[in-house]
Amino acid sequence: MVVSTAFWAGRRVLLTGHTGFKGGWLALWLRELGAEVCGYALPAPDGPSLWQVAQLHEQVPGTLADIRDTQRVSEAVATFRPEIVLHLAAQPLVRESYRAPVETYATNVMGTVNLLEAVRHCDSVRAMLVVTSDKCYENREWLWPYRESDGLGGHDPYSSSKACVELLCASWRESFLRESGIALATARAGNVIGGGDWSADRLLPDILRAWQAGQSLTLRYPQAVRPWQHVLEPLHGYLRLAQALVEQGEAVAEAWNFGPDNEGLVSVGELVERLARRWPDEARWSVEASEQPHEAGLLALDSSQARVRLDWRPRWTLQQAIERTLDWHQAWQAGEDMQSFSRAQIAAYQGETHE
């Protein structure tokens, strides 16, 4: 199964979170495939963002509003009448969830409820994909990767909120959507890197901000091991899964992991060292001495289900992901046309994924 232009051309796709990092890349890819995309998201934050730098407003119309606004969500779905709904809008940061737990649950949980309710009352929708997180699992710090059948949980409010989203999606699937003929799946991806991410309290943006300014980077969890992958890897999985939801329906309406191979499972410290070797100038870092909020020490995903049933697998190694990310950042610094550059990276990736 490949990402098919023939399938996506002309499809009406509602994409929430289109002004964000992953959402922006997915919006651009969908437009490259010929889909008719309508977005729903908060305005992009002030300062550089993929949405602003790559001029994505030229490609994706939509509603700039809060996913917590029940009426606006309902109106957006009813007006656009999509066939496929891809839900990426979220509060996506662990540390922010400690600072604003109520807002995190309201956005991630009740925002998803708002969208599910709007979708079940819209007879044009055939498939819906809700993106959660690899952190939705009850992390036991064990050595083997988590499978879709493993237990859900979450120490921090962000992780817990994503586990809640998984549970409510299962409930809406069984209670409402199946009888309406709407196939609903959830997707859990690893830690993504790529060009155009300027989020606060996220490793790659923190690295690039510090080193670009000639400053030393402060690491909070250098020993933490994560499943690192380029942003296009899970997006490729989302596109394959959404197509399968339309074509196979309930047969694939369940939870799916999209994580890297074992070579992408490295510590924060090792990732920083790899980036430093590729950085053209001096790259310095130190370890934060003060106590930090809890985050999982070891997290890995088992993506066997996606490999076997969707014929999905990672195509770029971790080193390739690092190089593509730094290439994008350096092109932006050089003043290149970043919409064209981003399109070229998507084209390069697609050239390696089409059989």
Side-chain angles (χ1 to χ4, degrees), residues 165-186:
V165 171
E166 289 283 349
L167 292 172
L168 73 89
C169 284
S171 174
W172 253 256
R173 181 190 300 118
E174 298 302 320
S175 300
F176 308 114
L177 300 187
R178 177 169 286 132
E179 66 184 25
S180 300
I182 300 171
L184 168 65
T186 57

Side-chain angles (χ1 to χ4, degrees), residues 203-284:
L203 180 62
L204 259 293
D206 287 349
I207 290 172
L208 297 176
R209 275 189 289 264
W211 291 353
Q212 184 180 335
Q215 300 172 350
S216 177
L217 169 72
T218 301
L219 296 179
R220 295 183 294 268
Y221 308 96
Q223 303 304 318
V225 176
R226 295 287 186 270
W228 305 98
Q229 58 192 153
H230 193 274
V231 64
L232 295 181
E233 300 280 20
L235 299 186
H236 176 210
Y238 304 164
L239 291 169
R240 288 191 179 218
L241 178 53
Q243 180 177 342
L245 285 168
V246 172
E247 296 177 342
Q248 301 176 42
E250 286 299 315
V252 295
E254 55 190 296
W256 296 80
N257 286 341
F258 296 102
D261 292 331
N262 288 337
E263 67 89 27
L265 191 66
V266 303
S267 70
V268 168
E270 181 177 341
L271 183 68
V272 172
E273 289 177 357
R274 290 199 191 192
L275 282 158
R277 289 195 291 269
R278 179 70 160 69
W279 190 254
D281 302 310
E282 183 182 22
R284 296 175 292 122

Side-chain angles (χ1 to χ4, degrees), residues 71 74 100 247 282 302 304 324-325:
Q71 183 174 346
S74 180
E247 296 177 342
E282 183 182 22
D302 183 337
S304 301
R324 301 301 191 278
T325 300

